Amino acid sequence: MTAADPGAAELLARGELTVRGRIRDASNAALFCTVAHDGREADCVYKPVAGERPLWDFPDGTLAAREVAAYEVSEATGWGLVPPTVLRDGPYGEGMCQLWIEVSPEPELLALVDGEEPEPGWKAIGLAEVGEGRTALLVHADDERLRRLAVLDAVINNADRKGGHLLPTADGRLYGIDHGVTFNAEDKLRTLLWGWAGEPLTAEAVGVLKGLRDALDGALGERLGPLITTAELDATRARVAALLASGLHPEPGGDWPVIPWPPV
């Protein structure tokens, strides 16, 4: 089953979850599972609310719902950037259940290079220390898939867009995962995808944002209502309005660290 399968979300929501193992490099409890229903089966990730670590800037027990909210916004864009994700009961209580994505090796999306300017086909993120007093330029690919993801992150206020959260697939798609720290009412955008900062949004992105503006006042807003707070929903509307008013990709600013570390 692929993320584009129209029955993926239903399978995740209704299927029987069987835990196969734990994903040990995850910061919160993340379990590798299979989900089966009516003769269909798929691999998935189950993150129970009970396994979430408390954070100082997000209410306890809300990360799973935020992952589902990110999926709902992604679906509303039409870009399909987040794998199917649902909120459901599981072996360890309520949690987020997301379709497992098989990653396909492809040319690098991120790199460290010498020099102060990126080569053609790359966008600069910033200088990084690489040891022994040496610095290198951190860059990401000038890739339309990443650019769409940068717009989505600006809308959902993603506070943790790392390289390890980017999953390319054999069919040429690119998915973003790990959206637990999103939708804060305060500006917390922290990402590796700053390469388009201050540049005009594409005509496609402007059209998508206009659609989101309307959807947030309609069906999308109703779906997000149980997942995030009223203040956070209002802040999401305000971010969309600000992007449309400026017509530009956002630029780094404020006291919040703007690049996650480590970047992967």
Side-chain angles (χ1 to χ4, degrees):
M1 175 172 286
T2 69
D5 191 314
E10 181 182 10
L11 174 61
L12 292 172
R14 299 182 61 188
E16 180 180 358
L17 276 178
T18 302
V19 176
R20 302 299 185 186
R22 182 169 184 175
I23 302 171
R24 295 194 174 276
D25 58 354
S27 56
N28 295 290
L31 305 174
F32 178 74
C33 302
T34 55
V35 59
H37 177 71
D38 198 22
R40 306 187 80 188
E41 183 174 295
D43 295 332
C44 60
V45 177
Y46 162 54
K47 296 182 181 179
V49 171
E52 294 179 5
R53 295 190 307 171
L55 299 172
W56 68 270
D57 52 348
F58 285 84
D60 292 350
T62 67
L63 304 190
R66 294 171 192 277
E67 295 234 34
V68 179
Y71 167 68
E72 292 288 355
V73 174
S74 168
E75 287 300 283
T77 66
W79 286 334
L81 297 169
V82 178
T85 312
V86 302
L87 197 64
R88 59 161 293 168
D89 259 345
Y92 299 101
E94 185 179 62
M96 179 278 280
C97 187
Q98 184 175 83
L99 190 70
W100 180 266
I101 299 297
E102 290 292 342
V103 177
S104 176
E106 67 166 38
E108 287 183 310
L109 296 172
L110 298 164
L112 283 167
V113 298
D114 292 324
E116 297 182 355
E117 295 293 334
E119 295 291 328
W122 295 89
K123 289 285 190 177
I125 303 168
L127 292 173
E129 293 186 8
V130 293
E132 299 180 354
R134 180 173 165 265
T135 61
L137 185 65
L138 183 61
V139 297
H140 66 67
D142 188 1
D143 186 307
E144 187 60 35
R145 301 169 302 171
L146 290 180
R147 191 166 191 172
R148 290 173 173 176
L149 200 55
V151 174
L152 176 68
D153 284 345
V155 170
I156 67 176
N157 198 17
N158 192 352
D160 194 30
R161 175 61 71 205
K162 294 179 179 177
H165 301 166
L166 305 173
L167 306 183
T169 62
D171 61 0
R173 301 289 297 270
L174 179 70
Y175 294 97
I177 60 168
D178 284 351
H179 297 108
V181 286
T182 50
F183 293 99
N184 201 296
E186 298 180 8
D187 181 14
K188 291 185 178 290
L189 184 58
R190 186 168 63 165
T191 174
L192 287 175
L193 305 180
W194 287 116
W196 298 281
E199 293 187 14
L201 296 165
T202 64
E204 178 194 48
V206 170
V208 164
L209 289 167
K210 288 179 178 178
L212 282 181
R213 178 185 58 193
D214 296 339
L216 285 166
D217 288 331
L220 177 59
E222 292 176 3
R223 291 196 297 274
L224 295 181
L227 302 171
I228 58 178
T229 69
T230 299
E232 289 167 343
L233 181 53
D234 288 343
T236 303
R237 293 188 178 103
R239 287 191 295 271
V240 171
L243 287 166
L244 286 170
S246 72
L248 304 173
H249 285 271
E251 297 187 76
D255 298 327
W256 182 253
V258 297
I259 296 177
W261 198 261
V264 296

